[in-house]
Amino acid sequence: MTAGPLVVLVGPMGSGKSTVGALLAERLGVPYRDTDADIVLAQGREISDIFVDEGEPYFRELERQAVAAAVTAHTGVLALGGGAVLDEGTRELLAGLPVAYLSMDVEEAVRRVGLGAARPLLAVNPRRQWRELMDARRPLYTEVARVVVATDDRTPEEVAQAVLDALELKDV
């Protein structure tokens, strides 16, 4: 087996990366790691607070460092924050890794997360902002992904199975 994560999950906020990632890790018998959680732990505050207090560029640098550390050291299932793919160096690190892009449409995003609280990039007119974010990020998610798994109208268990099938991984 090559070094690095067994599975990397990318996709927009609310696509289920954390939930599906934990399920995948359990089914594969490997550890789960989330780079957003790494940042929160290291900083001792929520991501929304980092955005407010320090700004997005500061957060993106923390995110870049967290992803680089996780991709290097973690061999289980890894979930990245929704904007991690904005960094070119991060996209280069993901090249050749088993990356699954968890996709969803705006209606599913509204149903799942309401596009509101604690989402600093969606503070005003969240539907329009979500679409604009996705217009910018979708090509980047697709660029780094080995597989794309639609999450619309699927349970986390169904999405986890679809990721396993698409990446041809067997659970334990």
Side-chain angles (χ1 to χ4, degrees):
M1 180 162 52
T2 61
L6 189 58
V7 178
V8 179
L9 299 176
V10 299
M13 59 192 87
S15 63
K17 297 181 300 287
S18 296
T19 303
V20 170
L23 284 170
L24 284 169
E26 181 180 324
R27 290 179 65 176
L28 293 166
V30 297
Y32 168 71
R33 186 167 176 178
D34 180 322
T35 57
D36 279 352
D38 290 351
I39 294 167
V40 169
L41 184 64
Q43 292 291 304
R45 55 190 169 148
E46 295 300 315
I47 289 171
S48 57
D49 294 334
I50 297 169
F51 263 81
V52 169
D53 296 342
E54 310 293 340
E56 185 176 1
Y58 180 82
F59 171 76
R60 294 297 173 205
E61 178 57 23
L62 294 175
E63 183 175 56
R64 186 192 64 70
Q65 293 172 12
V67 170
V71 165
T72 303
H74 188 68
T75 57
V77 176
L78 177 64
L80 305 187
V85 297
L86 295 171
D87 181 76
E88 183 178 351
T90 293
R91 293 194 308 276
E92 289 171 6
L93 280 175
L94 296 175
L97 294 178
V99 178
Y101 161 29
L102 303 185
S103 70
M104 67 181 192
D105 67 21
V106 69
E107 302 313 320
E108 186 77 2
V110 169
R111 187 180 70 73
R112 290 186 188 177
V113 297
L115 297 182
R119 305 291 185 178
L121 293 178
L122 301 176
V124 179
N125 195 344
R127 282 178 189 253
R128 187 186 82 226
Q129 287 181 306
W130 192 88
R131 284 188 179 104
E132 289 174 1
L133 282 174
M134 284 307 299
D135 286 347
R137 294 177 180 181
R138 188 176 294 109
L140 303 177
Y141 293 140
T142 303
E143 173 188 327
V144 300
R146 185 176 297 173
V147 299
V148 178
V149 175
T151 65
D152 302 302
D153 301 317
R154 285 177 146 171
T155 67
E157 292 78 12
E158 290 169 333
V159 174
Q161 187 60 54
V163 170
L164 289 172
D165 292 346
L167 290 174
E168 299 178 353
L169 296 170
K170 302 284 186 235
D171 53 357
V172 291

